[in-house]
């Protein structure tokens, strides 16, 4: 009788813990966090797609007022590569890839030469993940973090 009671209590505890975990689970959909203001002519954003509770796609980039994407700017890429050792097309993929692989923003490593973008990415990713936990697909706007 004690074994059955212990089993039932363990099962109830497991079920209650699982339901608590579901509250923080990522809801399926698309979630976007975007900088509130342009910074040096660019407005950064992170968009994630969640399917079956997991991140399946991450886009991190920036656009100018006309909608031109920063990682497509080859002149900027050449300038930044020579001065910083990296460029937008590299670091945006690097940070997005880490979020996709790790499924959270806590273990993302900074890429040398893109530390300001690292700070922005972490803040944007955290905001997009929070929207995914709430199941709120409206765009969330955050204050700029880069100098």
């Amino acid at each position: 009788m004690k074994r059955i009671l212990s089993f039932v209590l363990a099962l109830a505890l497991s079920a209650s813990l699982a339901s608590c975990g579901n509250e923080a689970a990522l809801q399926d959909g698309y979630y976007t966090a975007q900088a509130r203001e342009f910074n040096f002519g660019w407005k950064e954003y992170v968009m994630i797609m969640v399917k079956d509770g997991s991140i399946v796609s991450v886009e991190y980039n920036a656009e100018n007022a006309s909608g031109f994407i920063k990682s497509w700017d080859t002149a900027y890429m050449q300038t930044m590569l020579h001065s910083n050792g990296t460029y937008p097309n590299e670091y945006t993929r690097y940070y997005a890839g880490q979020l996709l692989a790790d499924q959270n923003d806590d273990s993302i490593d900074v890429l040398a030469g893109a530390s300001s973008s690292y700070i922005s990415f972490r803040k944007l990713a955290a905001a997009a993940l929070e929207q995914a936990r709430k199941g709120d697909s409206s765009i969330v706007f955050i204050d700029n973090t880069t100098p």
Side-chain angles (χ1 to χ4, degrees):
M1 183 67 170
K2 284 185 179 181
R3 276 190 170 176
I4 293 173
L5 183 57
S6 295
F7 177 75
V8 170
L9 287 174
L11 188 60
L13 180 61
S14 295
S16 68
L17 289 175
S19 68
C20 289
N22 287 341
E23 290 176 8
L26 301 179
Q27 305 297 311
D28 290 359
Y30 291 89
Y31 303 97
T32 303
Q34 183 177 19
R36 189 176 312 280
E37 304 287 331
F38 287 94
N39 191 22
F40 296 107
W42 300 102
K43 189 182 284 194
E44 292 182 308
Y45 64 89
V46 168
M47 185 185 75
I48 62 173
M49 177 186 170
V50 177
K51 185 173 181 182
D52 297 327
S54 296
I55 302 168
V56 296
S57 175
V58 179
E59 180 181 353
Y60 169 47
N61 224 310
E63 62 184 9
N64 65 17
S66 67
F68 187 71
I69 301 298
K70 189 176 191 178
S71 63
W72 299 345
D73 188 335
T74 54
Y76 183 80
M77 176 184 70
Q78 290 297 320
T79 301
M80 189 173 173
L81 177 61
H82 294 298
S83 66
N84 292 39
T86 189
Y87 51 94
N89 202 16
E90 179 181 45
Y91 70 73
T92 57
R93 290 179 186 189
Y94 177 80
Y95 292 138
Q98 284 194 25
L99 179 59
L100 183 61
D102 296 340
Q103 297 288 304
N104 69 64
D105 62 324
D106 293 332
S107 58
I108 296 170
D109 295 323
V110 65
L111 182 65
S115 56
S116 292
S117 295
Y118 168 78
I119 294 166
S120 294
F121 179 77
R122 290 284 312 269
K123 192 168 184 180
L124 290 163
L129 288 168
E130 182 58 30
Q131 291 296 93
R133 287 183 195 96
K134 294 189 282 188
D136 182 354
S137 62
S138 62
I139 297 173
V140 62
F141 294 93
I142 64 159
D143 293 329
N144 291 355
T145 57
T146 55

